[in-house]
Amino acid sequence: MSPLPVSFFDRSPLDVAPDLLGAVLVHETPAGRAAGRIVETEAYTDDDPAMHGWQAAFGLDGRVVPAGRAADLFGPPGTTYLYKVYYRSWLLNVVCLPEGQAGAVLVRALEPTDGLEAMRERRPAARSERELANGPGKLTEALGLWIAPPAARHPLHGHRVDAPPLWFEPGEPPPAVATSSRIGVSRGADRAYRFFVPGHPCVSPGEPSDQRLARRSASQFGSRP
DNA sequence: TATATGATTGCCT
DNA sequence: GGCAATCATATAG
């Protein structure tokens, strides 16, 4: 099975994200092959207030000024952008668009297909098969991509995803694709940039940001669901 | 230089 | 369903 080529990612994140559903993410670990079918993704675009460092990266005059970690989002398409949140979880993104343009797709959830035994060892907190990789931080841990602190930069950050040890394989497209706003973002919560397989048990349990905000404002008026 | 906060998870009640 | 853990980065002063 040949990997998805770099050209697959040389497009808008809004095209790549839904097309990635059904594809298989593979990590060749020392302990063996770990893999899962992608069931949930999110797109992060240029002009996107939710993207890393967008203010520094685009400047007040709108000129493109890559800065800090955001600079790697301008890199060549088909390379990884691995970012750590809350000091514990690594999130896997793939850079999209030609070099010089910023954009990425976040892989949020997998249906495990290979190496489940090793995944269970790496994720003792998972009480069922569906919980092995039903979240962006969980899936990197399940695939053996977790790196202990104090590492600030992941060894596979910037890796080309058309070759080992980390790559994507084409898969059966899902029977249906649903969209929603993204999960856990405060800016750009109105954009329907999340793509997932509706009803799939391995989709992450998080609540889309627009619903969260709506619930919060409703509670300010004392209403009860 | 100082402080606020997040593309989360898991354990607690 | 709430909340703590604990650090890099962004933003303000």
Side-chain angles (χ1 to χ4, degrees):
Chain A
M1 183 77 75
S2 58
L4 286 176
V6 160
S7 60
F8 179 87
F9 300 96
D10 193 2
R11 299 181 286 154
S12 165
L14 294 173
D15 294 325
V16 175
D19 286 357
L20 223 37
L21 296 177
V24 178
L25 173 59
V26 185
H27 182 213
E28 197 65 56
T29 75
R33 174 184 158 113
R37 188 174 303 279
I38 298 172
V39 298
E40 181 179 353
T41 58
E42 282 179 3
Y44 288 81
T45 67
D46 55 8
D47 88 328
D48 185 347
M51 191 164 72
H52 278 175
W54 71 281
Q55 292 182 55
F58 294 98
L60 296 175
D61 58 355
R63 240 170 20 124
V64 174
V65 184
R69 62 180 176 180
D72 293 325
L73 290 167
F74 292 80
T79 55
T80 60
Y81 180 86
L82 276 149
Y83 165 66
K84 190 169 63 172
V85 283
Y86 303 112
Y87 76 86
R88 59 158 56 180
S89 303
W90 292 90
L91 274 56
L92 173 65
N93 303 255
V94 184
V95 175
C96 298
L97 294 170
E99 187 161 9
Q101 294 181 53
V105 169
L106 168 68
V107 183
R108 281 194 57 91
L110 300 177
E111 171 196 344
T113 58
D114 296 87
L116 271 65
E117 198 64 34
M119 288 187 192
R120 274 189 280 268
E121 285 178 21
R122 286 189 287 259
R123 292 214 5 92
R127 282 169 299 181
S128 62
E129 193 173 303
R130 66 201 286 178
E131 290 181 7
L132 284 173
N134 66 335
K138 299 174 188 175
L139 76 88
T140 53
E141 202 175 333
L143 290 177
L145 290 169
W146 189 79
I147 302 297
R153 184 187 173 88
H154 198 284
L156 280 177
H157 179 82
H159 166 74
R160 257 181 71 145
V161 294
D162 61 349
L166 185 68
W167 68 93
F168 294 87
E169 291 175 357
E172 192 78 10
V177 174
T179 66
S180 80
S181 71
R182 291 168 292 189
I183 293 176
V185 302
S186 51
R187 295 181 287 222
D190 54 324
R191 303 189 182 210
Y193 284 1
R194 172 173 174 252
F195 304 86
F196 59 99
V197 181
H200 197 287
C202 295
V203 169
S204 75
E207 185 181 27
S209 296
D210 55 350
Q211 291 178 26
R212 212 174 84 84
L213 293 173
R215 227 162 36 87
R216 203 168 70 84
S217 67
S219 69
Q220 283 178 349
F221 291 96
S223 62
R224 212 164 30 124

